Structures are given as structure tokens and as C-alpha cells.
Amino acid sequence: MRTRILELLRQHAGHYVSGEEISKQLAVSRTAVWKHIQALKNAGYDIEAHSRLGYSLRQAPDLLLPAEIAARLKTTVFGKEIRYFAEIGSTNNEAKRLAAEGCPEGLIVVAEAQNTGRGRLARGWFSPFGKGIWLSVVLRPSFHPLDAPKCTLMAAVALTKAIHKVTDAPCGIKWPNDILYEGKKLVGILTEMSAEMDAINYVVIGMGINVNIAPDEFPPELRDIATSVAAAAGRPVSRLALLAEVLAELETVYCLAVSQGFDPVLDEWRKLSITLGQQVNVLAPGETFTGIAVNIDNEGALLVDTGQGVRRVLAGDVSIRPPT
């Protein structure tokens, strides 16, 4: 009901809608309309009430509320079902729980804050209230489980394109899935899967996007390695606008992977990469080596020319060496 009231108020943006008109359209009493308006005000909506004119929506809260997300969606499936939390331990953990219970593909879990957010290699992720997009998406793909790790590269493509569209910030992808601006991380991606030998039950893609975190708001140990979309853009960025674009780009590239395979997705990754062509340090299991990152193969592995041959990197930390 509140979502429908908001839709009516948005349709008459800048003008008043009478309580009588709302009650007629929604087939509820004017008292019920008033109660819902009060609840929306308590949720942070700036709704002006006039005794003779009715109600006018002046401003929505800076929150990732389901009604606000739904009003901006450009997707067919992704984000049509939303689980919203003011604070949660981990959006990925909640998404995996819902996926195991049979939730539909495209369901998203979004939070204003996480208190046990995770990145790759079991690292923590700084997720302060109202400053970023802490998001997980449930997928139920038809492709083989061996292709599932490429979903991480797929998400990196979608996120980078979404940031470019919303801000024009010159960010790019560091292998395999970090999105950087001037050498500092904007986004982290964590992909988790449940599968049988020959079929995927579900894939959950978790994304942590530093949107409007000021440099001095990062913990001291992160200030040299993390930044925000706002810092890259030189201005505050609408989290709702960016989230809508992320979901749109992710749905587009996911449909491409399902219908045509991952080759077109990997081609997009190559175009957006800031790793290829650079000298890199590779910290792989049991060894460390350096070389020039020359490509990724069809499995998404990084190919590094060490001078003594091309090495294939499937796992490990890769850092870009500054020019000497």
C-alpha cells in the first residue's frame, strides 16, 4: 500500500494529491491514507501535508529502500524481489540462505551496513551505514559448474560499465575482479556457489561498492588502498541511481553469458582491464614471480609472460608494479 501511495505522489511530483483522490484510487479510507503517510514520514520521506490541497512528496530519504529501488529498476528479472536490511552480518550469507530455500533467480539482498562483510580470501570488507552499496544477487544459471568462476569476471564487467555510465570516472578492472581508481579499490566482488557434479543449484554474487565514503572515513589501514566512487567522480553519487545501473548491466551481461557463452563477456573484460600490458607481481600458492600480463584465456586465467615462458595464473594475488 505504501509503495502505491509513493507511486501516486511521484506521478504528481511538485504538486499535491488530495487524500480523497488517494483513497479513491487505492480503495481505502482517508484515515488509512493518513496512517500510511505518517509511516512514510517516520521512514524518512519528506511529505508535505496541506489541509486543503493534500500531500506532496518533497524528498525521499537517502536509503536503499525497496520502494526506491523498484521505482528506478530497468531490469526484467534482477531486483524484482528485494530483501532490505538496515544492518546485517553479510548480504551473501543471507542470499545463500534464501537461495537454499528456493528463492527465485534475480532476488537481491541489500543492506545499509554490514558488520561481518567479506571479500576474497576471507578478508573483511569495510561496510559503513549509508555510504556504499552492499549487495548480493542470486543466480540460477543453466551453464556448467566449471563456468561459474567466470561469474566474478562477469560482475566486474557489469560494475565497471555501470560506474562509467553514472560518473564517467576512469576506473578499470585489476585481475580478476577488483575495480580500481588511481591504484585504489572501489569495489570488491565475492562469488559463491552451490552445485552438483553437472548442475549449478545457485550462484550468489556479492558486491561491495564504496560509493560516498570520504577518504578520512576509511580506517587508517585502508586509506592507502581504498577509495570511493564519489572520490573518483569528484562529487557525491546517488546510490540508488548507481544500484539501478549495476543491476541493469549485470542482467545484460548475464543474459549474454547464458545465451552466447562467456567469450563475449571475456572480450568485454579485456577492454576494461587495467592489468593487461602491465608488469605484475604474482603471489601464487607456494611461489612468487613477475612478468608482463599479456591476456586472459577462455577460462579467465591470467597469462603472464615471465621472459622464460608464459605462466597461467588461476589463483593468487596479482599486483601491478609501478613503472621504473
Side-chain angles (χ1 to χ4, degrees), residues 19-295:
E20 182 178 2
E21 178 65 22
I22 297 173
S23 66
K24 282 182 179 178
Q25 291 206 34
L26 303 185
V28 297
S29 69
R30 292 184 63 176
T31 299
V33 170
W34 180 86
K35 288 181 178 179
H36 284 301
I37 292 289
Q38 298 311 304
L40 289 168
K41 286 183 175 182
N42 291 337
Y45 287 90
D46 181 5
I47 299 174
E48 188 172 306
H50 191 286
S51 58
R52 288 179 296 176
L53 300 176
Y55 305 102
S56 177
L57 177 62
R58 299 306 187 190
Q59 189 171 357
D62 183 26
L63 297 172
L64 302 176
L65 299 172
E68 296 303 313
I69 295 171
R72 293 164 174 79
L73 280 179
K74 308 174 183 179
T75 55
T76 301
V77 175
F78 286 15
K80 294 301 181 180
E81 289 206 25
I82 302 168
R83 298 293 183 273
Y84 168 83
F85 297 88
E87 183 173 338
I88 196 173
S90 161
T91 60
N92 255 35
N93 287 348
E94 179 66 10
K96 287 190 296 180
R97 184 186 71 79
L98 293 168
E101 292 179 354
C103 77
E105 180 169 68
L107 177 141
I108 69 171
V109 179
V110 64
E112 301 293 347
Q114 294 182 118
N115 50 46
T116 57
R118 294 174 292 127
R120 288 179 64 242
L121 307 178
R123 295 167 178 156
W125 189 266
F126 179 57
S127 313
F129 188 94
K131 296 288 186 173
I133 297 173
W134 325 122
L135 168 72
S136 296
V137 181
V138 175
L139 307 180
R140 298 192 183 277
S142 57
F143 47 71
H144 195 277
L146 291 176
D147 282 329
K150 300 175 198 172
C151 288
T152 302
L153 284 74
M154 175 185 77
V157 168
L159 284 157
T160 304
K161 294 180 77 171
I163 293 170
H164 287 171
K165 282 192 174 182
V166 173
T167 69
D168 291 328
C171 58
I173 307 169
K174 181 178 82 69
W175 187 90
N177 61 356
D178 289 338
I179 299 174
L180 305 186
Y181 169 72
E182 294 187 344
K184 295 183 179 182
K185 186 184 287 193
L186 292 167
V187 177
I189 302 168
L190 177 64
T191 301
E192 299 183 277
M193 175 181 68
S194 169
E196 311 297 333
M197 286 292 292
D198 59 353
I200 295 172
N201 297 322
Y202 63 79
V203 171
V204 169
I205 301 179
M207 293 157 273
I209 310 171
N210 301 330
V211 182
N212 290 318
I213 306 175
D216 60 359
E217 291 177 320
F218 285 102
E221 66 271 18
L222 297 180
R223 290 175 189 169
D224 290 337
I225 59 174
T227 188
S228 68
V229 178
R235 58 176 174 81
V237 173
S238 166
R239 293 187 300 148
L240 285 163
L242 181 55
L243 174 56
E245 204 61 59
V246 166
L247 293 173
E249 290 291 341
L250 186 60
E251 184 173 277
T252 297
V253 73
Y254 175 63
C255 290
L256 184 65
V258 169
S259 63
Q260 299 184 33
F262 276 92
D263 285 352
V265 177
L266 297 180
D267 284 342
E268 286 293 305
W269 189 97
R270 293 180 182 101
K271 293 174 186 176
L272 298 168
S273 171
I274 58 171
T275 302
L276 300 185
Q278 301 295 316
Q279 188 163 10
V280 297
N281 291 325
V282 180
L283 179 59
E287 64 174 333
T288 301
F289 60 91
T290 63
I292 302 295
V294 292
N295 205 347

